[in-house]
Amino acid sequence: TELKTKEGHPVETTSKPVNKDVKGKEGKQIRMIAKTDLRVAKPTIKLLAGDDSKDNSTAVRKPGVHKVLSLDMTNAPRDAKAMGQYGLAALASSDEDKEVRKRWNEGHFNVFLSDKIPVDRAIPDTRPEMCEQNLVHDDLPSTSVIFCFVDEVWSTLLRSVHSVLNRSPPHLLKEIILVDDFSTKDYLKEQLDKYMAQFPKVRILRLKERQGLIRARIAGAAIAKGEVLTFLDSHIECNVGWLEPLLERIYQDRKKVPCPVIEVVSDKDMSYMLVDNFQRGIFKWPLVFGWSALPEEYIKKHNMSISDPIRCPVMAGGLFSIDKKYFYELGAYDPGLDVWGGENMEISFKIWMCGGEIEIIPCSRVGHIFRGQNPYKFPKDRQKTVERNLARVAEVWLDEYKDLFYGHGYHHLLDRKSIDIGDLSEQIELRKKLQCKSFKWYLDNVYPDMNAPLAKAEGLVFNHGLRKCLTLEEGSLSFGKCDLSKQNQHFNYTWMRHIRQQDLCLTPQGKGSAFVLQLCDNAKPEHRWFHKSSNSALAEHLIAEFVSKHMCLEAGPQGDTLRLNPCETGNALQKWQFTHYHA
Ligand code: LR7
Ligand code: MN
């Protein structure tokens, strides 16, 4: 019988791939793959997702699947002796040092060396060994690869594009879309058009004004023709076999959002470096992205091997594939996010809370140049831009936990008179429409090892001088015998530094001769108290900073009044202790 592809084109059957191991430069083992391997393997009946063979030995012969195409047109590189070839370190001579430094700021990495190494260099195949044997379906969806860039260095942009062209199965690569986010460099104009004209799959979209990477991605997605969108930074190198494992995951479940392992291309010598296994994307307060190794017990409990997908609470942001329809169901990105930052948190929370999953796929690997600084200009202040983006994300997705975000350093964002975080009604509407789960659900189910107590301290508020506890009775404050079972003695010291019982906040009046309980309001600085919360047995002051940095809450010696008095270290009537401290 004649074999046909999905579209009905006849295909040649492939003989067994001939793998020859040869010694490359420096005696490194370089894997050569015979040309015959470049053809599409036998396409037949579609294998239903989840229809996995129980017997592994027959899985290889199962119709509709093939081994990952480890094709790499650069494994027999044009110039084996070139600098940086095979992902090895490039070197500048000492008299080139000045030039290296001079050009560094063009990209905030070693631009001089990047320009010296081939734009289509070979890199070591860093996948775990079993990856080559993995099976993927013959009828995977095609993808549009989207690179957004502003003033990217010529050689790194080209290397990014070549790595996709050379290491992606052609039938799965619908197109490469280069979104020029209003670059100022001349070489990114006609010269880039001319260069890319060699490659029919490459399209260039030029934005008429600077949009920032988030709206640039939205613009790229809007013209994409592939079934899957694959976003990449413009200074990367895709490794052998990188694409199929990502697409396979989406094929199995369109709500999975797979990310490659992000390896490191050195900013100093451009060498390609491996990273540790079992790394996942996490965040810390105030929504700062980071990497963290899966706990040993987790790996054991789930019997994980180094090639198994890793569930990630958040993604790094720059490198991932997503089903195009699903991306739009999720409302793409919040278009109100400017320039850089926060969109990785937004899409991560959105994916998890609205029914999807984020995974790192260890069989897919892409190198990225990590840089110390952004090499391009921010139209407005960088820090303010990022903070504002994060505040938008916090307001829409964090529920009551948004106080942890604000409480870890961004009080000033709450003053909406001085900072305009913009309109959020569409984002809030979207969350409702998609019936997304709560942030609490996300913490409990996706990121249970995240420490996110809603208060810094809680319980009874013990006064050391009186040896009694603060009590709220009939709307006014007094002191009573400490009793954990009395709810009216329970207060929280929150991330917003409120002393709070339910919705009510302890508030000084005037210069602090009287106190009232007001409905808590994050924007009101008079609701904030400074308290050096700690686990130590030492009780500490409660300072009403709004009134003065030196005015402390003090209990009247008779235990019937409260007032603010100048802080004194030895005064036990000014020493307060909560039952539990969380931070
Ligand atoms: O205004 C801009 N317009 C753009 O087109 C600003 C940037 N860009 C382009 C830029 O040229 C680059 O190609 O957007 C891409 C990302 O910008 P980078 O390389 O300056 O970002 P980064 O690598 O420092 O930051 C990470 O976090 C960002 C938060 O907004 C994005 O999600 C980046 O894509 C992301 N990069 C990665 O995830 C790679 C691994 C880094 C880590 C951890
Ligand atoms: Mn980057």
Side-chain angles (χ1 to χ4, degrees):
T1 56
E2 206 195 357
L3 293 163
K4 296 224 170 76
T5 63
K6 208 174 149 196
E7 293 85 16
H9 305 300
V11 285
E12 297 165 64
T13 43
T14 60
S15 55
K16 202 169 172 291
V18 195
N19 290 332
K20 281 186 290 179
D21 284 328
V22 296
K23 287 247 188 323
K25 201 178 162 189
E26 315 274 34
K28 264 191 149 199
Q29 286 279 329
I30 311 292
R31 172 131 273 181
M32 296 279 294
I33 286 142
K35 285 258 167 61
T36 49
D37 206 18
L38 301 185
R39 294 187 207 115
V40 183
K42 284 187 179 183
T44 36
I45 322 138
K46 178 174 168 175
L47 184 78
L48 291 170
D51 180 20
D52 272 336
S53 169
K54 276 149 226 110
D55 177 5
N56 272 336
S57 63
T58 62
V60 183
R61 273 174 273 120
K62 202 149 196 145
V65 291
H66 62 267
K67 281 189 199 170
V68 170
L69 300 173
S70 306
L71 56 97
D72 183 359
M73 321 264 264
T74 61
N75 256 347
R78 288 181 294 131
D79 180 0
K81 291 203 176 68
M83 208 195 269
Q85 192 55 271
Y86 304 115
L88 297 174
L91 224 98
S93 65
S94 57
D95 47 302
E96 287 166 334
D97 233 41
K98 233 176 119 189
E99 191 69 11
V100 167
R101 246 173 293 150
K102 206 176 112 200
R103 300 206 53 203
W104 190 275
N105 288 355
E106 287 173 35
H108 276 288
F109 64 92
N110 202 326
V111 176
F112 175 82
L113 285 179
S114 175
D115 284 1
K116 291 235 180 289
I117 67 180
V119 290
D120 58 352
R121 69 167 171 177
I123 49 176
D125 178 352
T126 54
R127 293 172 297 170
E129 220 158 320
M130 49 274 230
C131 293
E132 254 184 300
Q133 303 305 319
N134 282 356
L135 297 175
V136 294
H137 285 84
D138 298 334
D139 52 348
L140 292 177
S142 68
T143 189
S144 299
V145 170
I146 300 173
F147 287 108
C148 299
F149 64 91
V150 57
D151 291 344
E152 184 60 69
V153 169
W154 174 256
S155 53
T156 40
L157 179 61
L158 263 49
R159 203 170 292 113
S160 304
V161 171
H162 280 285
S163 77
V164 171
L165 288 170
N166 286 337
R167 300 195 186 101
S168 312
H171 68 292
L172 297 177
L173 181 65
K174 189 79 179 177
E175 61 196 345
I176 296 176
I177 299 173
L178 300 179
V179 184
D180 175 4
D181 188 13
F182 204 58
S183 294
T184 61
K185 306 273 191 237
D186 276 337
Y187 60 78
L188 293 171
K189 291 167 188 156
E190 294 95 273
Q191 198 184 330
L192 186 69
D193 286 344
K194 210 170 149 206
Y195 189 90
M196 293 302 164
Q198 304 173 69
F199 312 111
K201 283 196 177 173
V202 180
R203 304 165 66 190
I204 303 179
L205 173 65
R206 305 219 186 250
L207 303 182
K208 301 239 158 24
E209 54 186 301
R210 179 78 178 280
Q211 293 294 338
L213 79 90
I214 298 114
R215 289 192 293 276
R217 281 187 197 162
I218 295 173
I223 62 159
K225 295 178 187 144
E227 296 158 79
V228 167
L229 305 172
T230 299
F231 294 103
L232 298 172
D233 276 12
S234 49
H235 34 264
I236 54 95
E237 286 171 74
C238 293
N239 210 321
V240 179
W242 75 288
L243 184 58
E244 282 175 306
L246 299 178
L247 300 178
E248 175 69 18
R249 218 53 195 159
I250 293 171
Y251 181 102
Q252 288 167 4
D253 179 349
R254 60 185 291 272
K255 293 189 173 182
K256 280 190 193 287
V257 179
C259 309
V261 169
I262 304 174
E263 296 191 291
V264 178
V265 175
S266 164
D267 58 342
K268 295 182 187 65
D269 61 23
M270 297 298 289
S271 61
Y272 190 98
M273 298 186 288
L274 278 122
V275 294
D276 289 336
N277 294 320
F278 298 119
Q279 296 289 312
R280 59 178 188 154
I282 54 135
F283 72 88
K284 297 218 163 94
W285 302 110
L287 298 181
V288 183
F289 176 82
W291 301 103
S292 135
L294 279 177
E296 200 60 54
E297 316 85 72
Y298 182 94
I299 296 166
K300 283 218 183 82
K301 189 179 152 206
H302 293 85
N303 199 13
M304 278 179 74
S305 85
I306 52 170
S307 64
D308 289 338
I310 299 165
R311 288 158 58 90
C312 291
V314 294
M315 65 161 86
L319 288 60
F320 65 100
S321 293
I322 187 166
D323 180 272
K324 188 171 72 186
K325 279 206 204 100
Y326 184 51
F327 181 68
Y328 284 112
E329 279 166 36
L330 288 175
Y333 285 113
D334 169 7
L337 302 176
D338 291 326
V339 193
W340 184 99
E343 96 295 341
N344 53 335
M345 298 291 149
E346 193 223 2
I347 201 151
S348 299
F349 298 150
K350 190 144 81 173
I351 289 166
W352 281 113
M353 289 163 66
C354 314
E357 287 173 77
I358 299 169
E359 293 176 337
I360 287 177
I361 309 297
C363 288
S364 173
R365 305 176 89 89
V366 176
H368 169 259
I369 306 177
F370 287 78
R371 307 173 290 190
Q373 279 178 55
N374 306 94
Y376 40 79
K377 284 204 178 71
F378 276 65
K380 291 179 192 150
D381 179 77
R382 182 190 190 276
Q383 194 189 332
K384 287 202 175 114
T385 304
V386 177
E387 285 175 10
R388 181 185 166 279
N389 286 353
L390 289 172
R392 284 183 71 86
V393 177
E395 287 292 335
V396 177
W397 297 98
L398 259 47
D399 303 328
E400 68 273 27
Y401 291 86
K402 74 180 181 192
D403 285 0
L404 275 98
F405 166 74
Y406 288 119
H408 276 85
Y410 294 133
H411 286 161
H412 64 279
L413 288 176
L414 295 167
D415 184 4
R416 295 290 162 77
K417 274 163 266 153
S418 61
I419 296 134
D420 180 14
I421 74 162
D423 180 28
L424 288 168
S425 47
E426 271 184 42
Q427 307 310 311
I428 292 166
E429 196 48 48
L430 178 85
R431 184 175 162 181
K432 269 203 213 111
K433 195 188 91 195
L434 295 174
Q435 302 187 305
C436 306
K437 297 197 176 79
S438 68
F439 196 72
K440 180 167 192 328
W441 175 91
Y442 165 84
L443 288 175
D444 290 345
N445 294 278
V446 181
Y447 194 11
D449 36 346
M450 174 61 161
N451 185 29
L454 282 170
K456 285 160 99 126
E458 64 188 301
L460 306 178
V461 190
F462 177 73
N463 183 280
H464 274 242
L466 286 178
R467 308 202 65 78
K468 282 187 177 170
C469 284
L470 199 61
T471 311
L472 180 60
E473 234 159 355
E474 285 156 24
S476 65
L477 287 157
S478 61
F479 288 90
K481 189 166 176 280
C482 297
D483 182 352
L484 262 173
S485 68
K486 283 191 181 155
Q487 282 310 308
N488 66 345
Q489 287 190 348
H490 280 248
F491 291 84
N492 281 349
Y493 179 59
T494 72
W495 291 99
M496 294 316 300
R497 306 192 162 168
H498 295 163
I499 301 172
R500 168 171 183 157
Q501 194 170 94
Q502 268 132 22
D503 299 345
L504 297 175
C505 274
L506 178 63
T507 315
Q509 291 281 284
K511 288 222 157 72
S513 49
F515 295 86
V516 288
L517 285 140
Q518 282 185 358
L519 212 57
C520 299
D521 183 344
N522 281 353
K524 285 190 173 156
E526 61 267 36
H527 288 177
R528 283 180 213 136
W529 294 85
F530 182 76
H531 180 53
K532 195 182 159 205
S533 60
S534 70
N535 276 319
S536 79
L538 293 167
E540 294 292 343
H541 292 136
L542 278 165
I543 304 170
E545 284 187 337
F546 176 73
V547 178
S548 149
K549 283 202 162 46
H550 312 286
M551 291 300 268
C552 278
L553 187 68
E554 185 178 310
Q558 264 70 51
D560 51 358
T561 54
L562 269 178
R563 60 192 170 214
L564 287 179
N565 263 340
C567 302
E568 296 166 343
T569 22
N571 190 344
L573 291 169
Q574 289 184 2
K575 296 199 163 187
W576 305 87
Q577 190 171 16
F578 288 80
T579 317
H580 301 289
Y581 286 87
H582 295 294

